[in-house]
Amino acid sequence: MNTNKIKTLFIATALVLGAGSAQAALLNPGFESGLTGWTASLSGGAATVVTSNSTTYGGAITYLPPEGSYFLAIMSGSANVWQTVTQSLALAAGETIGGQAAFDWGDYPSFYDGARVRILDAAGAQIAQPFYLDGTGLPSGYNGPWTAWSFTALAAGTYTVEYASRNTLDGGGPEQTFGYFDAAQAQVPEPASLALLGLGLAGLAATRRKQTA
């Protein structure tokens, strides 16, 4: 196998292994470095990077990070005010970002608190809402699961990722409502990708043996 074929094989392998790296454009997507790269806007709420968070209303539950060692917990605050944590970033057309979110409702009907993920354009207008959940139609104190979300840019530009939670009608129920946010699950190379990489390494070794023979 000649050197040009080896180079081609490694380029193909890199493309396969790199595909699906959804968090490449976000800084500190899993909050492993605290709130570095993110901006909080709060009114009576809190944005805390935690290793776990426990609530009891609706049934005792402890949330743990689905990826890494930390996640973001945004506690609701003043009535009808979204507590937000945001980051702006540049995306190329076709580039995808993503993460995971969960809704932990601390109230009951008709106080339909919520949690959401929004994508805003450079002018601050919403262009996508890949995750949204509130208490409508859910049992009191609902403890929602971690849910994956993603967004693919249709055009190159500057975008803002907004994580948020909100109290509705009042400043808190039996417990405060939380929105939880973390990075996307790390991509594990598929067997075919690993086989391709192994083939490339074997070919490179064979070429080096021939060159030194």
Side-chain angles (χ1 to χ4, degrees):
M1 186 178 289
N2 62 40
T3 302
N4 287 336
K5 288 183 178 179
I6 291 292
K7 288 181 179 179
T8 301
L9 186 56
F10 270 104
I11 291 171
T13 303
L15 290 173
V16 171
L17 294 177
S21 181
Q23 294 293 323
L26 278 170
L27 176 64
N28 187 29
F31 303 94
E32 301 299 305
S33 301
L35 286 172
T36 299
W38 298 87
T39 300
S41 178
L42 306 169
S43 175
T48 309
V49 175
V50 297
T51 57
S52 66
N53 196 68
S54 299
T55 57
T56 58
Y57 185 60
I61 188 170
T62 297
Y63 283 84
L64 299 173
E67 176 64 24
S69 300
Y70 299 90
F71 65 96
L72 173 65
I74 303 181
M75 185 183 76
S76 57
S78 301
N80 304 316
V81 178
W82 287 99
Q83 316 295 312
T84 66
V85 173
T86 60
Q87 181 179 147
S88 296
L89 66 159
L91 292 176
E95 186 172 5
T96 298
I97 57 172
Q100 300 177 79
F103 170 56
D104 186 6
W105 188 25
D107 218 326
Y108 51 85
S110 300
F111 301 95
Y112 297 120
D113 308 339
R116 71 186 184 189
V117 177
R118 294 200 304 164
I119 308 297
L120 313 177
D121 65 15
Q126 176 180 311
I127 57 173
Q129 188 167 253
F131 176 85
Y132 177 85
L133 197 60
D134 64 28
T136 304
L138 296 175
S140 299
Y142 176 77
N143 304 312
W146 284 104
T147 303
W149 65 268
S150 66
F151 167 77
T152 300
L154 297 179
T158 299
Y159 298 85
T160 297
V161 177
E162 178 195 86
Y163 296 150
S165 70
R166 183 185 74 169
N167 274 325
T168 302
L169 299 180
D170 64 3
E175 290 186 343
Q176 288 292 358
T177 288
F178 286 88
Y180 302 125
F181 307 93
D182 202 354
Q185 289 282 1
Q187 296 292 319
V188 177
E190 297 180 358
S193 301
L194 295 175
L196 184 60
L197 178 59
L199 180 61
L201 293 173
L204 180 60
T207 301
R208 286 180 175 174
R209 282 196 299 270
K210 289 181 179 179
Q211 290 175 344
T212 57

